[in-house]
């Protein structure tokens, strides 16, 4: 459960609509239990894409990352604080 709490805390600024930077690095710094490795990889890729989209002012890439995040949230609703 500690991993879930840490991920939720890291992603809270993003879900609050704030310009969240450094999420990818914060995710990479976590120790990931084996059962969460798949979702962790997905989140790392999504937020890396968000970082790239922000850096390059690429709205299409940002929309793609948002769609990928929505798919991850559908599969793992606890990420944005849902039970």
């Amino acid at each position: 459960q500690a991993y879930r709490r840490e991920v939720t805390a890291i992603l809270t600024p993003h879900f609050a609509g704030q310009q969240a930077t450094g999420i990818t690095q914060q995710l990479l710094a976590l120790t990931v239990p084996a059962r969460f490795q798949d979702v962790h990889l997905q989140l790392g890729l999504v937020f890396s894409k968000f970082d790239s989209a922000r850096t390059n002012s690429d709205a299409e890439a940002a929309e793609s990352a948002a769609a990928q995040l929505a798919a991850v949230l559908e599969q793992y609703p606890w990420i944005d604080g849902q039970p």
Side-chain angles (χ1 to χ4, degrees), residues 2 5 7 14-15 34-35 38 44 46 51 53-54 63 71 79-80:
R5 280 192 305 275
V7 168
H14 175 80
F15 294 123
R35 68 182 196 155
D38 184 55
V46 165
D51 290 343
R54 188 177 311 105
E63 287 177 23
I79 292 171
D80 69 348

Side-chain angles (χ1 to χ4, degrees), residues 4-83:
R4 289 171 67 157
R5 280 192 305 275
E6 290 177 81
V7 168
T8 301
I10 289 169
L11 299 181
T12 295
H14 175 80
F15 294 123
Q18 299 171 7
Q19 184 75 306
T21 58
I23 289 177
T24 304
Q25 289 75 21
Q26 291 177 61
L27 289 171
L28 290 174
L30 293 178
T31 300
V32 184
R35 68 182 196 155
F36 292 113
Q37 287 179 348
D38 184 55
V39 65
H40 192 78
L41 176 61
Q42 291 178 55
L43 288 171
L45 293 172
V46 165
F47 282 96
S48 178
K49 185 178 268 190
F50 272 124
D51 290 343
S52 177
R54 188 177 311 105
T55 300
N56 298 316
S57 299
D58 186 343
E60 189 174 312
E63 287 177 23
S64 174
Q68 286 179 317
L69 181 57
V72 172
L73 292 176
E74 190 173 302
Q75 195 171 6
Y76 303 95
W78 59 264
I79 292 171
D80 69 348
Q82 302 301 315

